[in-house]
Amino acid sequence: MITSQLLAFVAVSVFCVLKVNSRDTFIAAVYEHAVILPNASLIPVSREEALALMNRNLDLLEVAVTSAANQSAHIIVTPEDGIYGWNFTRETIYPYLEDIPDPGVNWIPCNDPKRFGYTPVQERLSCLAKDNSIYVVANIGDKKPCNASDPQCPPDGRYQYNTDVVFDSQGKLVARYHKHNLFMGENQFNVPKKPEVVTFDTIFGRFGIFTCFDILFYDPAVTLVKDFHVDTIVFPTAWMNVLPHLSAIQFHSAWAMGMGVNFLASNLHDPSKRMTGSGIYAPDSPRAFHYDMKTKEGKLLLSELDSYSHSPVVNWTSYASSIKAFSTGNQKFKGTAFFDEFTFLELTRVTGNYTVCQKKLCCHLSYKMSEKRRDEVYALGAFDGLHIVEGTYYLQICTLLKCKTTNLNTCGGAVETASTRFEMFSLSGTFGTQYVFPEVLLSESQLASGEFQVSSDGRLFSVKPPSGPLLTVTLFGRMYEKDQTLKASSEPRA
């Protein structure tokens, strides 16, 4: 068995060879796609009907790919479920699947479409890449036969995977990734036996790939950055926005900053499902983003990025641990944000310094509002514990947020608009993890691009008055360190 350390060494060696002919910048494109959905059915359609539906979506993706290439883009990312949609059973997804080989086979489907059976979707994606001289990232379904000799083989004799594929500018299949952290309801797919760490090297940097819900877990997301030293993440997703802390553009831009990588996020566009929010994010600031709950059309984004990124060195607890707690005299109260019970303090003055603690986490806030409005309430909150809804994982969160109404019982609820402007803010916390993601979200879900920074001692602070009213200022800490304890406690004992 080849160890992950050896794989990382081999990847670095290949990367060093490619970097000789490297370019310092590249143009990235992401496409937010309004997917055409199949008719709901409990009976599988024919392969011909499935292919007809997929070709309708591929027609739209082709327009986006061609447009991106005409604007000199080097790579384009398209969404998860973007070719066939969602709401499938294990049986009804099957006609949409193809057998996707390991990229090591050195295959250009556009040139040799019959080499691995009937693979018209891979052929068309390959030709889109080749004909437009652009890297194409797409999400499709993979099927792999198995038999009784495999004790984990499903009863129907096959594995089915939610799969990302990457074709290079020659149309060659260069990456295949099977999603590991399936979201609730993805029962049509199997979880790979082990998390896959997938990279591909280009003359404009090293890329890693994972899908949607993977972003909240260590493997493969953090492993790609920490052990395989990728510069850019490509991220097909079907992300349903969840306020106050997990809106797509809010969290994805924060992940890019927290991990120190470029992040190319391509989301589906379906406002009825709260699906919107795509972006091209650099480690220091978003370069382009799209959030649109009003229209039904897709959207192509392009921006230039530096090819090689550098992870920041931040001690997330240094500042917060070096100061004494601010004494305010305010009464603490409980509130719920996305099913997690926070400890809150109300911001009662136009300017102030506040500290709120929960368990081992203490959050410090300094702020100044332009005015203290009577019709809006803001609070400082702390959460240190296990999140158990739509996934199970440990969090430490410090957040300044607008409450839904002036009733304190509504603090933590989803809020989309605000009127209060802040002149400055500085937020820090005594985090027990190095994995903290800094979020700033303005009214109507806009990003404060270039308006805030993170210091080496762990403060998230404004560098100028935010350009719009604040919804949230958050340090979202992910306690991966405790996941192994959680996993061990859930395993059956002999």
Side-chain angles (χ1 to χ4, degrees):
M1 184 66 68
I2 299 177
T3 66
S4 61
Q5 290 87 351
L6 179 57
L7 285 172
F9 173 77
V10 172
V12 170
S13 299
V14 172
F15 174 65
C16 290
V17 173
L18 282 170
K19 198 167 182 179
V20 173
N21 296 315
S22 65
R23 50 181 300 136
D24 294 330
T25 63
F26 70 103
I27 297 175
V30 300
Y31 181 57
E32 182 161 308
H33 173 46
V35 62
I36 301 170
L37 299 172
N39 295 324
S41 175
L42 297 177
I43 301 173
V45 300
S46 67
R47 174 62 175 166
E48 290 72 24
E49 290 175 283
L51 186 59
L53 184 280
M54 290 190 286
N55 274 321
R56 291 177 66 195
N57 280 299
L58 284 164
D59 288 344
L60 295 175
L61 296 181
E62 180 174 353
V63 173
V65 171
T66 302
S67 177
N70 288 339
Q71 297 176 71
S72 303
H74 297 90
I75 186 169
I76 182 170
V77 186
T78 63
E80 179 186 24
D81 300 333
I83 292 178
Y84 45 63
W86 61 87
N87 287 340
F88 292 101
T89 66
R90 184 173 179 84
E91 292 73 29
T92 58
I93 192 69
Y94 184 69
Y96 296 85
L97 308 180
E98 293 185 358
D99 191 339
I100 306 170
D102 186 288
V105 298
N106 192 26
W107 180 42
I108 300 177
C110 191
N111 296 350
D112 190 4
K114 306 298 183 183
R115 182 178 170 189
F116 295 99
Y118 186 53
T119 55
V121 175
Q122 293 173 81
E123 178 187 355
R124 187 164 182 190
L125 290 169
S126 171
C127 291
L128 278 178
K130 179 184 177 183
D131 294 345
N132 291 283
S133 299
I134 187 174
Y135 278 72
V136 173
V137 181
N139 177 264
I140 58 179
D142 189 10
K143 58 182 180 182
K144 289 288 179 283
C146 56
N147 55 47
S149 64
D150 177 359
Q152 298 181 40
C153 183
D156 55 17
R158 63 181 183 267
Y159 290 107
Q160 300 180 172
Y161 299 114
N162 178 329
T163 309
D164 299 328
V165 290
V166 183
F167 296 91
D168 71 9
S169 56
Q170 304 300 313
K172 179 182 175 181
L173 178 67
V174 294
R176 179 196 67 186
Y177 168 70
H178 295 137
K179 183 179 179 181
H180 187 77
N181 298 287
L182 297 178
F183 191 63
M184 57 187 298
E186 279 191 277
N187 299 321
Q188 68 270 35
F189 294 120
N190 297 105
V191 176
K193 294 178 182 179
K194 294 183 179 180
E196 299 174 355
V197 181
V198 175
T199 66
F200 58 98
D201 291 300
T202 75
I203 62 170
F204 45 94
R206 164 171 295 155
F207 287 70
I209 187 168
F210 54 84
T211 313
C212 204
F213 201 41
D214 284 324
I215 196 174
L216 282 164
F217 300 90
Y218 193 92
D219 287 317
V222 177
T223 296
L224 281 166
V225 179
K226 292 298 181 182
D227 296 340
F228 287 76
H229 309 291
V230 299
D231 302 296
T232 301
I233 295 292
V234 291
F235 183 69
T237 186
W239 192 280
M240 297 176 67
N241 292 303
V242 179
L243 292 168
H245 302 130
L246 288 172
S247 175
I249 59 173
Q250 170 191 27
F251 189 64
H252 302 160
S253 60
W255 203 90
M257 179 173 283
M259 296 304 296
V261 292
N262 299 319
F263 197 84
L264 312 182
S266 173
N267 199 5
L268 289 177
H269 186 78
D270 187 344
S272 70
K273 300 289 186 182
R274 304 194 312 278
M275 289 180 174
T276 183
S278 300
I280 299 171
Y281 309 112
D284 61 337
S285 181
R287 293 292 186 264
F289 67 92
H290 177 69
Y291 179 92
D292 173 20
M293 288 289 288
K294 298 178 180 179
T295 67
K296 297 181 179 180
E297 291 76 29
K299 179 71 173 181
L300 178 67
L301 301 175
L302 292 98
S303 185
E304 187 175 39
L305 290 169
D306 291 334
S307 298
Y308 304 101
S309 58
H310 303 282
S311 298
V313 178
V314 177
N315 184 332
W316 285 104
T317 193
S318 177
Y319 175 79
S321 299
S322 70
I323 65 172
K324 293 182 179 180
F326 298 124
S327 177
T328 62
N330 290 15
Q331 186 69 36
K332 293 186 293 185
F333 63 95
K334 299 294 184 181
T336 301
F338 193 36
F339 303 98
D340 296 325
E341 187 177 72
F342 280 67
T343 301
F344 283 114
L345 280 176
E346 181 187 358
L347 276 57
T348 57
R349 302 188 297 270
V350 69
T351 184
N353 302 296
Y354 288 79
T355 296
V356 66
C357 301
Q358 186 180 105
K359 297 180 182 177
K360 295 182 179 180
L361 177 66
C362 285
C363 305
H364 306 303
L365 171 69
S366 298
Y367 72 93
K368 183 177 182 181
M369 300 175 180
S370 298
E371 64 172 329
K372 180 69 177 73
R373 298 174 61 99
R374 293 184 177 182
D375 60 345
E376 293 190 333
V377 168
Y378 283 78
L380 171 66
F383 175 75
D384 183 357
L386 180 65
H387 177 82
I388 59 172
V389 176
E390 297 184 351
T392 304
Y393 41 88
Y394 283 96
L395 299 172
Q396 285 188 325
I397 299 175
C398 291
T399 185
L400 158 66
L401 53 75
K402 183 202 167 191
C403 301
K404 194 168 186 177
T405 70
T406 55
N407 186 332
L408 297 183
N409 292 331
T410 68
C411 293
V415 180
E416 296 183 0
T417 60
S419 298
T420 300
R421 290 181 177 269
F422 282 68
E423 293 185 16
M424 63 78 64
F425 59 80
S426 176
L427 180 67
S428 62
T430 56
F431 290 96
T433 178
Q434 64 176 308
Y435 300 105
V436 179
F437 308 112
E439 305 178 342
V440 178
L441 191 67
L442 305 179
S443 182
E444 298 183 345
S445 292
Q446 296 300 300
L447 297 179
S449 302
E451 297 174 3
F452 65 93
Q453 293 180 1
V454 171
S455 61
S456 60
D457 61 1
R459 286 172 293 154
L460 167 58
F461 62 95
S462 56
V463 295
K464 63 174 76 171
S467 55
L470 283 179
L471 288 182
T472 62
V473 176
T474 301
L475 290 170
F476 188 101
R478 179 65 177 86
M479 296 285 288
Y480 303 112
E481 297 85 347
K482 300 185 71 171
D483 285 0
Q484 291 303 316
T485 303
L486 181 66
K487 182 179 180 181
S489 66
S490 65
E491 291 176 349
R493 298 183 179 180

